[in-house]
Amino acid sequence: MVKAVVGANWGDEGKGKITDMLGETADIIVRFQGGSNAGHTIVNDYGKFALHILPSGVFYDHTTSVIGNGVAFSVPALFKEVNDIVEKGVPMPKIKVSDRAQIVMPYHVLFDEYEEERLKGAAFGSTKSGIAPFYSDKYSKIGFQVSELFDEETLVKKVASVVEKKNLIIKSLYPGKPLLDEAELLKTLHEYRDMVAPYVTDTAKFLKDAIKEGKTILLEGQLGTLKDPDFGIYPMVTSSSTLAAYGAIGAGIPPYEIKNIIAVCKAYSSAVGAGEFVSEILDEDQAKELRDRGGDGGEYGATTGRPRRMGWFDCVASRYGVQMQSATEVVLTVLDVLGYLDEIPVCVGYEINGEVTKDFPVTTKLAKAKPVYKTLPGWKCDIRGIKNYEDLPENCRNYIEFIEKELETPITMVSNGPGRHEIIYRNK
Ligand code: GDP
């Protein structure tokens, strides 16, 4: 059985918490795209953790964590994270790294910084983890596969040719920046090789065998639909697909095996970085209040600490987000955060050039969209600690059911707190 946990919005929906929770009944948890750019925050019996590269199910003794071929694999980030969690008392995780995963190189991180510096005001708001330069190189066919670390002849030749090319770029595009050194890069790659050697696996085969054995596999997505390079708010997107469908490619499993797609959707909106955001709260005091009350200790980036942009729930973007994920069910998260509001605006349509639409448009049209709001009554109480759906205040249930209708997909779980057990199951 293969399940996917993916984001329906702009990321930061609480996928980490949901994966950690579902990890209890999973055998294998797989990262299939992205890299160490976005973070998942998890609160469980061991403490509070911000994971970037390790799958969120890493805290259980019984799970195996897989870094799939689709991941932008940062070797230092992986080992730093493993050390951090082991130091906090988590048992040493069982990790497998795909022999086909490609490696984030030190120069990818540098080029990310240099490019944001060069673009100044027009920058993409990158987390400077090297993700865009990494994927550019992957598809330009000058990336380094993990397997290549173990073939010295190939490695030496490739390092020489890549360093030559990168230095030409540095000289012309980023003059004044230090040039890359072939010997130093080779030394770093030898260190990476020795670090990853025990974990390198043909993970596609490993997963194929696991499926045959009836194991439960959880694919953990990073970011959300609206950051997908094809279906998101291009160009303010990430560089690898954030869709569940890509799980088949980024993990190397048959698409028809993904039976259950759980889209994680926030009860309000938040986004990091630049880009179109129709239901953004423009009043800074109002936005700040929601930001400071949001998530677990405020809506600030898990990787960068940047304040997130805040908005009301957007039915147009979220329905699209859920449907592009081909979600079989939805988890609505952070609902507890909204308990302070008398009334809650919900964006139900976009007005573009005088016409109202419920369909999520391409970015050029999105830039002209104005939100059409419907206001729902708040419930004015703290819903944390509630375990049964029927015990939620009526206005709160109405809010959930209104959203469910708009999403055209069943909301099977409601998250009412950051903790692993703060979840309300709905019996449909
Ligand atoms: P991810 O990248 O999708 O895993 O999301 P993040 O970890 O960046 O952001 C989610 C934040 O919200 C984290 O700080 C979580 O601990 C927190 N969180 C998750 N679910 C809930 C919830 O239902 N209520 C509250 N208050 N916080 C939650």
Side-chain angles (χ1 to χ4, degrees), residues 6 8-9 18 260-266 313 318-319 321-323 327-333 400 403-404 407-415 423-424 426:
V6 285
N9 307 128
I18 302 302
N260 189 200
I261 298 174
I262 301 160
V264 186
C265 200
K266 276 177 108 132
F313 188 84
S318 299
R319 177 172 48 250
V322 163
Q323 292 181 350
T328 53
E329 58 187 286
V330 170
V331 189
L332 192 66
T333 57
I400 297 165
I403 287 175
E404 180 175 55
L407 296 180
E408 298 169 12
T409 311
I411 295 175
T412 56
M413 289 175 260
V414 175
S415 173
I423 195 88
I424 299 168
R426 284 180 78 198

PDB file of all heavy atoms in Angstrom, residues 6 8-9 18 260-266 313 318-319 321-323 327-333 400 403-404 407-415 423-424 426:
ATOM      1  N   VAL A   6       0.861  15.160   0.799  1.00  0.00           N
ATOM      2  CA  VAL A   6       1.342  16.272  -0.041  1.00  0.00           C
ATOM      3  C   VAL A   6       0.617  17.566   0.336  1.00  0.00           C
ATOM      4  O   VAL A   6      -0.445  17.534   0.944  1.00  0.00           O
ATOM      5  CB  VAL A   6       1.104  15.944  -1.537  1.00  0.00           C
ATOM      6  CG1 VAL A   6       2.093  14.924  -2.050  1.00  0.00           C
ATOM      7  CG2 VAL A   6      -0.323  15.470  -1.782  1.00  0.00           C
ATOM      8  N   ALA A   8      -1.477  21.063  -0.378  1.00  0.00           N
ATOM      9  CA  ALA A   8      -2.459  21.585  -1.341  1.00  0.00           C
ATOM     10  C   ALA A   8      -2.280  23.075  -1.570  1.00  0.00           C
ATOM     11  O   ALA A   8      -2.895  23.644  -2.466  1.00  0.00           O
ATOM     12  CB  ALA A   8      -3.872  21.320  -0.830  1.00  0.00           C
ATOM     13  N   ASN A   9      -1.433  23.728  -0.767  1.00  0.00           N
ATOM     14  CA  ASN A   9      -1.329  25.185  -0.845  1.00  0.00           C
ATOM     15  C   ASN A   9       0.072  25.620  -1.270  1.00  0.00           C
ATOM     16  O   ASN A   9       0.597  25.084  -2.229  1.00  0.00           O
ATOM     17  CB  ASN A   9      -1.731  25.804   0.495  1.00  0.00           C
ATOM     18  CG  ASN A   9      -3.093  25.348   1.005  1.00  0.00           C
ATOM     19  OD1 ASN A   9      -3.218  24.896   2.135  1.00  0.00           O
ATOM     20  ND2 ASN A   9      -4.113  25.429   0.173  1.00  0.00           N
ATOM     21  N   ILE A  18       1.604  15.512   9.930  1.00  0.00           N
ATOM     22  CA  ILE A  18       0.725  14.439   9.449  1.00  0.00           C
ATOM     23  C   ILE A  18       1.557  13.199   9.079  1.00  0.00           C
ATOM     24  O   ILE A  18       1.170  12.067   9.386  1.00  0.00           O
ATOM     25  CB  ILE A  18      -0.133  14.927   8.247  1.00  0.00           C
ATOM     26  CG1 ILE A  18      -0.964  16.159   8.648  1.00  0.00           C
ATOM     27  CG2 ILE A  18      -1.021  13.809   7.704  1.00  0.00           C
ATOM     28  CD1 ILE A  18      -1.913  15.970   9.820  1.00  0.00           C
ATOM     29  N   ASN A 260      -3.667   6.123  -2.112  1.00  0.00           N
ATOM     30  CA  ASN A 260      -4.247   7.046  -1.156  1.00  0.00           C
ATOM     31  C   ASN A 260      -3.434   8.341  -1.196  1.00  0.00           C
ATOM     32  O   ASN A 260      -2.241   8.320  -0.911  1.00  0.00           O
ATOM     33  CB  ASN A 260      -4.149   6.349   0.210  1.00  0.00           C
ATOM     34  CG  ASN A 260      -4.894   7.059   1.306  1.00  0.00           C
ATOM     35  OD1 ASN A 260      -4.623   6.840   2.458  1.00  0.00           O
ATOM     36  ND2 ASN A 260      -5.808   7.923   0.964  1.00  0.00           N
ATOM     37  N   ILE A 261      -4.072   9.426  -1.595  1.00  0.00           N
ATOM     38  CA  ILE A 261      -3.348  10.709  -1.668  1.00  0.00           C
ATOM     39  C   ILE A 261      -3.990  11.675  -0.677  1.00  0.00           C
ATOM     40  O   ILE A 261      -5.143  12.080  -0.826  1.00  0.00           O
ATOM     41  CB  ILE A 261      -3.364  11.261  -3.107  1.00  0.00           C
ATOM     42  CG1 ILE A 261      -2.631  10.267  -4.034  1.00  0.00           C
ATOM     43  CG2 ILE A 261      -2.705  12.647  -3.158  1.00  0.00           C
ATOM     44  CD1 ILE A 261      -2.681  10.609  -5.500  1.00  0.00           C
ATOM     45  N   ILE A 262      -3.230  11.978   0.347  1.00  0.00           N
ATOM     46  CA  ILE A 262      -3.740  12.826   1.424  1.00  0.00           C
ATOM     47  C   ILE A 262      -3.201  14.236   1.206  1.00  0.00           C
ATOM     48  O   ILE A 262      -2.005  14.481   1.342  1.00  0.00           O
ATOM     49  CB  ILE A 262      -3.269  12.279   2.791  1.00  0.00           C
ATOM     50  CG1 ILE A 262      -3.769  10.834   2.963  1.00  0.00           C
ATOM     51  CG2 ILE A 262      -3.747  13.169   3.928  1.00  0.00           C
ATOM     52  CD1 ILE A 262      -3.012  10.035   3.987  1.00  0.00           C
ATOM     53  N   ALA A 263      -4.094  15.139   0.835  1.00  0.00           N
ATOM     54  CA  ALA A 263      -3.663  16.530   0.632  1.00  0.00           C
ATOM     55  C   ALA A 263      -3.826  17.269   1.940  1.00  0.00           C
ATOM     56  O   ALA A 263      -4.888  17.229   2.568  1.00  0.00           O
ATOM     57  CB  ALA A 263      -4.491  17.180  -0.463  1.00  0.00           C
ATOM     58  N   VAL A 264      -2.759  17.926   2.360  1.00  0.00           N
ATOM     59  CA  VAL A 264      -2.799  18.691   3.600  1.00  0.00           C
ATOM     60  C   VAL A 264      -3.098  20.138   3.243  1.00  0.00           C
ATOM     61  O   VAL A 264      -2.452  20.733   2.381  1.00  0.00           O
ATOM     62  CB  VAL A 264      -1.462  18.569   4.371  1.00  0.00           C
ATOM     63  CG1 VAL A 264      -1.567  19.254   5.721  1.00  0.00           C
ATOM     64  CG2 VAL A 264      -1.075  17.097   4.545  1.00  0.00           C
ATOM     65  N   CYS A 265      -4.112  20.670   3.901  1.00  0.00           N
ATOM     66  CA  CYS A 265      -4.636  21.979   3.544  1.00  0.00           C
ATOM     67  C   CYS A 265      -4.771  22.796   4.821  1.00  0.00           C
ATOM     68  O   CYS A 265      -5.283  22.302   5.823  1.00  0.00           O
ATOM     69  CB  CYS A 265      -6.021  21.724   2.924  1.00  0.00           C
ATOM     70  SG  CYS A 265      -6.648  23.020   1.919  1.00  0.00           S
ATOM     71  N   LYS A 266      -4.310  24.028   4.781  1.00  0.00           N
ATOM     72  CA  LYS A 266      -4.392  24.870   5.977  1.00  0.00           C
ATOM     73  C   LYS A 266      -5.751  25.535   6.091  1.00  0.00           C
ATOM     74  O   LYS A 266      -6.352  25.878   5.066  1.00  0.00           O
ATOM     75  CB  LYS A 266      -3.348  26.001   5.870  1.00  0.00           C
ATOM     76  CG  LYS A 266      -1.971  25.626   6.318  1.00  0.00           C
ATOM     77  CD  LYS A 266      -1.018  26.771   6.103  1.00  0.00           C
ATOM     78  CE  LYS A 266      -0.647  27.373   7.432  1.00  0.00           C
ATOM     79  NZ  LYS A 266       0.818  27.557   7.556  1.00  0.00           N
ATOM     80  N   PHE A 313      -8.456  31.770   4.054  1.00  0.00           N
ATOM     81  CA  PHE A 313      -8.595  30.525   3.289  1.00  0.00           C
ATOM     82  C   PHE A 313      -9.049  30.874   1.875  1.00  0.00           C
ATOM     83  O   PHE A 313      -9.961  31.673   1.671  1.00  0.00           O
ATOM     84  CB  PHE A 313      -9.601  29.583   3.961  1.00  0.00           C
ATOM     85  CG  PHE A 313      -9.604  28.231   3.303  1.00  0.00           C
ATOM     86  CD1 PHE A 313      -8.674  27.276   3.672  1.00  0.00           C
ATOM     87  CD2 PHE A 313     -10.507  27.927   2.287  1.00  0.00           C
ATOM     88  CE1 PHE A 313      -8.639  26.033   3.042  1.00  0.00           C
ATOM     89  CE2 PHE A 313     -10.485  26.689   1.654  1.00  0.00           C
ATOM     90  CZ  PHE A 313      -9.542  25.743   2.035  1.00  0.00           C
ATOM     91  N   SER A 318      -7.272  26.474  -3.195  1.00  0.00           N
ATOM     92  CA  SER A 318      -7.191  25.203  -2.467  1.00  0.00           C
ATOM     93  C   SER A 318      -7.898  24.073  -3.219  1.00  0.00           C
ATOM     94  O   SER A 318      -7.429  22.943  -3.216  1.00  0.00           O
ATOM     95  CB  SER A 318      -7.768  25.334  -1.062  1.00  0.00           C
ATOM     96  OG  SER A 318      -7.028  26.294  -0.339  1.00  0.00           O
ATOM     97  N   ARG A 319      -9.039  24.387  -3.854  1.00  0.00           N
ATOM     98  CA  ARG A 319      -9.725  23.348  -4.642  1.00  0.00           C
ATOM     99  C   ARG A 319      -8.800  22.886  -5.767  1.00  0.00           C
ATOM    100  O   ARG A 319      -8.598  21.697  -6.007  1.00  0.00           O
ATOM    101  CB  ARG A 319     -11.046  23.861  -5.210  1.00  0.00           C
ATOM    102  CG  ARG A 319     -11.758  22.825  -6.090  1.00  0.00           C
ATOM    103  CD  ARG A 319     -13.156  23.252  -6.503  1.00  0.00           C
ATOM    104  NE  ARG A 319     -13.154  24.598  -7.014  1.00  0.00           N
ATOM    105  CZ  ARG A 319     -13.697  25.652  -6.398  1.00  0.00           C
ATOM    106  NH1 ARG A 319     -14.323  25.497  -5.259  1.00  0.00           N
ATOM    107  NH2 ARG A 319     -13.607  26.857  -6.924  1.00  0.00           N
ATOM    108  N   GLY A 321      -5.601  23.217  -5.758  1.00  0.00           N
ATOM    109  CA  GLY A 321      -4.459  22.558  -5.115  1.00  0.00           C
ATOM    110  C   GLY A 321      -4.755  21.107  -4.777  1.00  0.00           C
ATOM    111  O   GLY A 321      -3.928  20.217  -4.993  1.00  0.00           O
ATOM    112  N   VAL A 322      -5.947  20.874  -4.262  1.00  0.00           N
ATOM    113  CA  VAL A 322      -6.363  19.520  -3.877  1.00  0.00           C
ATOM    114  C   VAL A 322      -6.557  18.662  -5.129  1.00  0.00           C
ATOM    115  O   VAL A 322      -6.115  17.517  -5.200  1.00  0.00           O
ATOM    116  CB  VAL A 322      -7.671  19.612  -3.034  1.00  0.00           C
ATOM    117  CG1 VAL A 322      -8.384  18.279  -2.955  1.00  0.00           C
ATOM    118  CG2 VAL A 322      -7.364  20.151  -1.643  1.00  0.00           C
ATOM    119  N   GLN A 323      -7.201  19.257  -6.136  1.00  0.00           N
ATOM    120  CA  GLN A 323      -7.508  18.468  -7.337  1.00  0.00           C
ATOM    121  C   GLN A 323      -6.271  18.169  -8.173  1.00  0.00           C
ATOM    122  O   GLN A 323      -6.148  17.079  -8.726  1.00  0.00           O
ATOM    123  CB  GLN A 323      -8.611  19.164  -8.143  1.00  0.00           C
ATOM    124  CG  GLN A 323      -9.928  19.108  -7.363  1.00  0.00           C
ATOM    125  CD  GLN A 323     -11.112  19.745  -8.079  1.00  0.00           C
ATOM    126  OE1 GLN A 323     -10.945  20.402  -9.104  1.00  0.00           O
ATOM    127  NE2 GLN A 323     -12.295  19.566  -7.525  1.00  0.00           N
ATOM    128  N   ALA A 327      -6.116  14.360  -4.935  1.00  0.00           N
ATOM    129  CA  ALA A 327      -6.298  13.926  -3.544  1.00  0.00           C
ATOM    130  C   ALA A 327      -7.504  13.016  -3.392  1.00  0.00           C
ATOM    131  O   ALA A 327      -8.567  13.274  -3.956  1.00  0.00           O
ATOM    132  CB  ALA A 327      -6.456  15.147  -2.643  1.00  0.00           C
ATOM    133  N   THR A 328      -7.328  11.953  -2.629  1.00  0.00           N
ATOM    134  CA  THR A 328      -8.459  11.094  -2.286  1.00  0.00           C
ATOM    135  C   THR A 328      -9.095  11.576  -0.975  1.00  0.00           C
ATOM    136  O   THR A 328     -10.218  11.248  -0.677  1.00  0.00           O
ATOM    137  CB  THR A 328      -8.015   9.626  -2.132  1.00  0.00           C
ATOM    138  OG1 THR A 328      -6.917   9.573  -1.197  1.00  0.00           O
ATOM    139  CG2 THR A 328      -7.554   9.045  -3.465  1.00  0.00           C
ATOM    140  N   GLU A 329      -8.337  12.336  -0.202  1.00  0.00           N
ATOM    141  CA  GLU A 329      -8.862  12.909   1.036  1.00  0.00           C
ATOM    142  C   GLU A 329      -8.042  14.125   1.447  1.00  0.00           C
ATOM    143  O   GLU A 329      -6.935  14.335   0.940  1.00  0.00           O
ATOM    144  CB  GLU A 329      -8.875  11.874   2.158  1.00  0.00           C
ATOM    145  CG  GLU A 329      -7.528  11.272   2.463  1.00  0.00           C
ATOM    146  CD  GLU A 329      -7.628  10.124   3.469  1.00  0.00           C
ATOM    147  OE1 GLU A 329      -7.837  10.414   4.650  1.00  0.00           O
ATOM    148  OE2 GLU A 329      -7.482   8.963   3.056  1.00  0.00           O
ATOM    149  N   VAL A 330      -8.629  14.908   2.359  1.00  0.00           N
ATOM    150  CA  VAL A 330      -7.968  16.139   2.797  1.00  0.00           C
ATOM    151  C   VAL A 330      -7.835  16.128   4.317  1.00  0.00           C
ATOM    152  O   VAL A 330      -8.726  15.672   5.020  1.00  0.00           O
ATOM    153  CB  VAL A 330      -8.810  17.375   2.359  1.00  0.00           C
ATOM    154  CG1 VAL A 330      -8.296  18.659   2.993  1.00  0.00           C
ATOM    155  CG2 VAL A 330      -8.822  17.509   0.837  1.00  0.00           C
ATOM    156  N   VAL A 331      -6.693  16.643   4.794  1.00  0.00           N
ATOM    157  CA  VAL A 331      -6.549  16.938   6.226  1.00  0.00           C
ATOM    158  C   VAL A 331      -6.548  18.446   6.346  1.00  0.00           C
ATOM    159  O   VAL A 331      -5.750  19.114   5.680  1.00  0.00           O
ATOM    160  CB  VAL A 331      -5.193  16.459   6.800  1.00  0.00           C
ATOM    161  CG1 VAL A 331      -5.191  16.596   8.310  1.00  0.00           C
ATOM    162  CG2 VAL A 331      -4.856  15.063   6.383  1.00  0.00           C
ATOM    163  N   LEU A 332      -7.432  18.965   7.166  1.00  0.00           N
ATOM    164  CA  LEU A 332      -7.470  20.415   7.388  1.00  0.00           C
ATOM    165  C   LEU A 332      -6.686  20.706   8.666  1.00  0.00           C
ATOM    166  O   LEU A 332      -7.020  20.177   9.732  1.00  0.00           O
ATOM    167  CB  LEU A 332      -8.931  20.869   7.513  1.00  0.00           C
ATOM    168  CG  LEU A 332      -9.157  22.374   7.457  1.00  0.00           C
ATOM    169  CD1 LEU A 332      -8.806  22.950   6.091  1.00  0.00           C
ATOM    170  CD2 LEU A 332     -10.610  22.712   7.792  1.00  0.00           C
ATOM    171  N   THR A 333      -5.625  21.508   8.534  1.00  0.00           N
ATOM    172  CA  THR A 333      -4.743  21.741   9.694  1.00  0.00           C
ATOM    173  C   THR A 333      -4.895  23.158  10.256  1.00  0.00           C
ATOM    174  O   THR A 333      -5.533  24.008   9.636  1.00  0.00           O
ATOM    175  CB  THR A 333      -3.269  21.533   9.302  1.00  0.00           C
ATOM    176  OG1 THR A 333      -2.960  22.409   8.226  1.00  0.00           O
ATOM    177  CG2 THR A 333      -2.967  20.099   8.909  1.00  0.00           C
ATOM    178  N   ILE A 400     -15.721  23.970   8.591  1.00  0.00           N
ATOM    179  CA  ILE A 400     -15.097  22.787   7.976  1.00  0.00           C
ATOM    180  C   ILE A 400     -15.968  22.271   6.824  1.00  0.00           C
ATOM    181  O   ILE A 400     -15.469  21.981   5.727  1.00  0.00           O
ATOM    182  CB  ILE A 400     -14.934  21.649   9.021  1.00  0.00           C
ATOM    183  CG1 ILE A 400     -13.999  22.090  10.148  1.00  0.00           C
ATOM    184  CG2 ILE A 400     -14.422  20.362   8.372  1.00  0.00           C
ATOM    185  CD1 ILE A 400     -14.059  21.213  11.387  1.00  0.00           C
ATOM    186  N   ILE A 403     -15.880  24.468   3.745  1.00  0.00           N
ATOM    187  CA  ILE A 403     -14.633  24.259   2.995  1.00  0.00           C
ATOM    188  C   ILE A 403     -14.664  22.916   2.262  1.00  0.00           C
ATOM    189  O   ILE A 403     -14.278  22.819   1.097  1.00  0.00           O
ATOM    190  CB  ILE A 403     -13.407  24.367   3.943  1.00  0.00           C
ATOM    191  CG1 ILE A 403     -13.201  25.827   4.323  1.00  0.00           C
ATOM    192  CG2 ILE A 403     -12.146  23.785   3.315  1.00  0.00           C
ATOM    193  CD1 ILE A 403     -12.110  26.076   5.335  1.00  0.00           C
ATOM    194  N   GLU A 404     -15.172  21.906   2.937  1.00  0.00           N
ATOM    195  CA  GLU A 404     -15.232  20.574   2.317  1.00  0.00           C
ATOM    196  C   GLU A 404     -16.052  20.605   1.017  1.00  0.00           C
ATOM    197  O   GLU A 404     -15.663  20.032   0.003  1.00  0.00           O
ATOM    198  CB  GLU A 404     -15.856  19.585   3.296  1.00  0.00           C
ATOM    199  CG  GLU A 404     -15.943  18.172   2.726  1.00  0.00           C
ATOM    200  CD  GLU A 404     -16.443  17.194   3.770  1.00  0.00           C
ATOM    201  OE1 GLU A 404     -17.531  17.446   4.341  1.00  0.00           O
ATOM    202  OE2 GLU A 404     -15.746  16.201   4.015  1.00  0.00           O
ATOM    203  N   LEU A 407     -14.058  22.293  -1.627  1.00  0.00           N
ATOM    204  CA  LEU A 407     -12.919  21.481  -2.101  1.00  0.00           C
ATOM    205  C   LEU A 407     -13.372  20.302  -2.943  1.00  0.00           C
ATOM    206  O   LEU A 407     -12.578  19.704  -3.664  1.00  0.00           O
ATOM    207  CB  LEU A 407     -12.085  20.967  -0.911  1.00  0.00           C
ATOM    208  CG  LEU A 407     -11.374  22.004  -0.051  1.00  0.00           C
ATOM    209  CD1 LEU A 407     -10.593  21.330   1.068  1.00  0.00           C
ATOM    210  CD2 LEU A 407     -10.442  22.879  -0.884  1.00  0.00           C
ATOM    211  N   GLU A 408     -14.640  19.950  -2.794  1.00  0.00           N
ATOM    212  CA  GLU A 408     -15.213  18.796  -3.524  1.00  0.00           C
ATOM    213  C   GLU A 408     -14.447  17.500  -3.219  1.00  0.00           C
ATOM    214  O   GLU A 408     -14.302  16.622  -4.076  1.00  0.00           O
ATOM    215  CB  GLU A 408     -15.236  19.075  -5.040  1.00  0.00           C
ATOM    216  CG  GLU A 408     -16.115  20.269  -5.403  1.00  0.00           C
ATOM    217  CD  GLU A 408     -15.949  20.738  -6.841  1.00  0.00           C
ATOM    218  OE1 GLU A 408     -15.327  20.020  -7.649  1.00  0.00           O
ATOM    219  OE2 GLU A 408     -16.444  21.842  -7.146  1.00  0.00           O
ATOM    220  N   THR A 409     -13.901  17.438  -2.031  1.00  0.00           N
ATOM    221  CA  THR A 409     -13.113  16.268  -1.605  1.00  0.00           C
ATOM    222  C   THR A 409     -13.349  16.090  -0.098  1.00  0.00           C
ATOM    223  O   THR A 409     -13.387  17.094   0.624  1.00  0.00           O
ATOM    224  CB  THR A 409     -11.605  16.528  -1.860  1.00  0.00           C
ATOM    225  OG1 THR A 409     -11.453  17.003  -3.191  1.00  0.00           O
ATOM    226  CG2 THR A 409     -10.755  15.281  -1.671  1.00  0.00           C
ATOM    227  N   PRO A 410     -13.506  14.855   0.364  1.00  0.00           N
ATOM    228  CA  PRO A 410     -13.785  14.682   1.798  1.00  0.00           C
ATOM    229  C   PRO A 410     -12.643  15.121   2.718  1.00  0.00           C
ATOM    230  O   PRO A 410     -11.481  14.796   2.456  1.00  0.00           O
ATOM    231  CB  PRO A 410     -14.041  13.170   1.941  1.00  0.00           C
ATOM    232  CG  PRO A 410     -13.600  12.544   0.670  1.00  0.00           C
ATOM    233  CD  PRO A 410     -13.564  13.586  -0.390  1.00  0.00           C
ATOM    234  N   ILE A 411     -13.006  15.861   3.747  1.00  0.00           N
ATOM    235  CA  ILE A 411     -12.037  16.194   4.806  1.00  0.00           C
ATOM    236  C   ILE A 411     -12.163  15.077   5.838  1.00  0.00           C
ATOM    237  O   ILE A 411     -13.181  14.967   6.524  1.00  0.00           O
ATOM    238  CB  ILE A 411     -12.343  17.568   5.439  1.00  0.00           C
ATOM    239  CG1 ILE A 411     -12.146  18.685   4.401  1.00  0.00           C
ATOM    240  CG2 ILE A 411     -11.462  17.807   6.666  1.00  0.00           C
ATOM    241  CD1 ILE A 411     -12.530  20.077   4.888  1.00  0.00           C
ATOM    242  N   THR A 412     -11.161  14.227   5.916  1.00  0.00           N
ATOM    243  CA  THR A 412     -11.262  13.051   6.790  1.00  0.00           C
ATOM    244  C   THR A 412     -10.618  13.279   8.154  1.00  0.00           C
ATOM    245  O   THR A 412     -10.878  12.532   9.088  1.00  0.00           O
ATOM    246  CB  THR A 412     -10.590  11.831   6.134  1.00  0.00           C
ATOM    247  OG1 THR A 412      -9.247  12.193   5.822  1.00  0.00           O
ATOM    248  CG2 THR A 412     -11.319  11.414   4.867  1.00  0.00           C
ATOM    249  N   MET A 413      -9.739  14.286   8.218  1.00  0.00           N
ATOM    250  CA  MET A 413      -9.071  14.573   9.487  1.00  0.00           C
ATOM    251  C   MET A 413      -8.968  16.076   9.681  1.00  0.00           C
ATOM    252  O   MET A 413      -8.775  16.809   8.708  1.00  0.00           O
ATOM    253  CB  MET A 413      -7.646  14.006   9.479  1.00  0.00           C
ATOM    254  CG  MET A 413      -7.550  12.508   9.557  1.00  0.00           C
ATOM    255  SD  MET A 413      -5.827  11.969   9.390  1.00  0.00           S
ATOM    256  CE  MET A 413      -5.769  11.468   7.691  1.00  0.00           C
ATOM    257  N   VAL A 414      -9.094  16.483  10.923  1.00  0.00           N
ATOM    258  CA  VAL A 414      -8.934  17.896  11.260  1.00  0.00           C
ATOM    259  C   VAL A 414      -7.851  17.975  12.325  1.00  0.00           C
ATOM    260  O   VAL A 414      -7.914  17.265  13.331  1.00  0.00           O
ATOM    261  CB  VAL A 414     -10.262  18.483  11.803  1.00  0.00           C
ATOM    262  CG1 VAL A 414     -10.058  19.916  12.263  1.00  0.00           C
ATOM    263  CG2 VAL A 414     -11.370  18.388  10.753  1.00  0.00           C
ATOM    264  N   SER A 415      -6.854  18.813  12.084  1.00  0.00           N
ATOM    265  CA  SER A 415      -5.757  18.938  13.037  1.00  0.00           C
ATOM    266  C   SER A 415      -6.008  20.157  13.914  1.00  0.00           C
ATOM    267  O   SER A 415      -6.193  21.262  13.400  1.00  0.00           O
ATOM    268  CB  SER A 415      -4.443  19.057  12.266  1.00  0.00           C
ATOM    269  OG  SER A 415      -3.389  19.329  13.146  1.00  0.00           O
ATOM    270  N   ILE A 423      -5.490  15.386  16.719  1.00  0.00           N
ATOM    271  CA  ILE A 423      -6.142  15.144  15.422  1.00  0.00           C
ATOM    272  C   ILE A 423      -7.555  14.635  15.674  1.00  0.00           C
ATOM    273  O   ILE A 423      -7.791  13.872  16.605  1.00  0.00           O
ATOM    274  CB  ILE A 423      -5.304  14.135  14.584  1.00  0.00           C
ATOM    275  CG1 ILE A 423      -5.721  14.114  13.123  1.00  0.00           C
ATOM    276  CG2 ILE A 423      -5.311  12.747  15.168  1.00  0.00           C
ATOM    277  CD1 ILE A 423      -5.006  15.122  12.288  1.00  0.00           C
ATOM    278  N   ILE A 424      -8.478  15.094  14.869  1.00  0.00           N
ATOM    279  CA  ILE A 424      -9.863  14.641  14.986  1.00  0.00           C
ATOM    280  C   ILE A 424     -10.202  13.881  13.703  1.00  0.00           C
ATOM    281  O   ILE A 424     -10.071  14.422  12.602  1.00  0.00           O
ATOM    282  CB  ILE A 424     -10.826  15.847  15.148  1.00  0.00           C
ATOM    283  CG1 ILE A 424     -10.477  16.631  16.414  1.00  0.00           C
ATOM    284  CG2 ILE A 424     -12.276  15.385  15.152  1.00  0.00           C
ATOM    285  CD1 ILE A 424     -11.158  17.981  16.520  1.00  0.00           C
ATOM    286  N   ARG A 426     -12.788  12.055  11.211  1.00  0.00           N
ATOM    287  CA  ARG A 426     -14.211  12.145  10.886  1.00  0.00           C
ATOM    288  C   ARG A 426     -14.678  10.815  10.328  1.00  0.00           C
ATOM    289  O   ARG A 426     -14.036  10.270   9.435  1.00  0.00           O
ATOM    290  CB  ARG A 426     -14.458  13.228   9.858  1.00  0.00           C
ATOM    291  CG  ARG A 426     -14.397  14.609  10.461  1.00  0.00           C
ATOM    292  CD  ARG A 426     -14.650  15.624   9.401  1.00  0.00           C
ATOM    293  NE  ARG A 426     -16.067  15.737   9.085  1.00  0.00           N
ATOM    294  CZ  ARG A 426     -16.522  16.278   7.980  1.00  0.00           C
ATOM    295  NH1 ARG A 426     -15.689  16.698   7.063  1.00  0.00           N
ATOM    296  NH2 ARG A 426     -17.816  16.376   7.765  1.00  0.00           N
TER     297      ARG A 426
END
